[in-house]
Amino acid sequence: MKRVRKAVFPVAGLGTRFLPATKAVPKEMLTVVDRPVIQYVVDEAREAGIEHFIFVTGRNKAVIEDHFDIQFELYDTLAQRGKDDQLARLQRLQPGPGQTSFTRQQVPLGLGHAVWCARELVGDEPFALLLPDMIMQSEKSCMKDMVELYAETGNNIIAVQECDPAEAHKYGIVGRGEDTHHGFRITGMVEKPKAGTAPSNLYINGRYILQPEIFGILESQEKGAGNEIQLTDAMLKLEKQQPFYGYHYQGRTFDCGSPEGFVEANVAFALWRSDMNASMAGVIRTLLDELKPSQRKGAAF
């Protein structure tokens, strides 16, 4: 059984829900407190033992590549000014030589197509897939637990969380079978099921470990919902050949692809930090007491 060494990050999206902020800045480079969103996701993969980080990019995404490169002028300036702590922190976050790869998704044909674009870089190995819009907050990373479950089962792994059953029609939902190790057997997958028909309230939260056979399926996968090549459709075909297991993640997940989720993530991560908790808690309480948008002119934009 090959171990999971590589991770794919689809970062070609346009981020239209964040315009005008994302007109020139990729949405993945918007900051949650003091780190870009993409840095949180890469750090999660690194904690899980991932060695090779593969980014599927698009136009105007070169700043992501620059972010994970060495900036000699900045490093030299920090060293000369004696800011050793800041320099050491940047160096810890820096991938090593040859650990990052970038490939282009020239046309926006969906998540399944973005994954397929990474096929030559992944090769004949199992790989992790982390959606950069979704960032996690927990003591132990979601992907690290998934890698451990993969080591026990040797098959495809999908991370899931509970949602309000009334909201299940908004997500990809899995059917839950028998428990195994610290996960469970997935008995089916449904993308945005009709109200009242979902097999459970466990939704797919943007973390996967997939076998390379998915690439052969995606190569001939027809367009599905939204006239795009859907990853879920390909996984349903792969499920007929290989088992899928679910990992029930117990931490927090923030959808930074939406403005509400992005703001929530900033608040949550600021409150999670010991150096910011007290001050931010006080600021939030003051804002809640003083700001009443419904009574202010121009509150809605």
Side-chain angles (χ1 to χ4, degrees), residues 267-268 270-271 277-290:
V267 172
L271 292 174
N277 177 276
S279 61
M280 287 304 303
V283 168
I284 292 169
R285 281 191 291 267
T286 299
L287 291 174
L288 288 172
D289 290 339
E290 295 181 356

Side-chain angles (χ1 to χ4, degrees), residues 215-245:
F215 294 122
I217 296 173
L218 287 169
E219 186 169 6
S220 57
Q221 179 67 46
E222 296 179 355
K223 293 180 180 179
N227 200 33
E228 295 181 336
I229 298 173
Q230 298 291 338
L231 179 65
T232 302
D233 293 341
M235 291 194 300
L236 285 169
K237 291 181 181 178
L238 184 59
E239 184 190 22
K240 297 177 181 178
Q241 307 168 20
Q242 300 176 355
F244 273 74
Y245 292 87

Side-chain angles (χ1 to χ4, degrees), residues 157-197:
I157 311 291
I158 299 176
V160 298
Q161 287 181 258
E162 294 179 355
C163 68
D164 183 337
E167 302 290 311
H169 65 281
K170 298 180 180 180
Y171 305 103
I173 302 294
V174 304
R176 179 165 191 154
E178 72 277 7
D179 291 341
T180 177
H181 305 286
H182 65 287
F184 62 91
R185 185 73 178 265
I186 289 177
T187 58
M189 290 173 272
V190 184
E191 187 66 32
K192 296 182 179 179
K194 293 182 180 179
T197 66

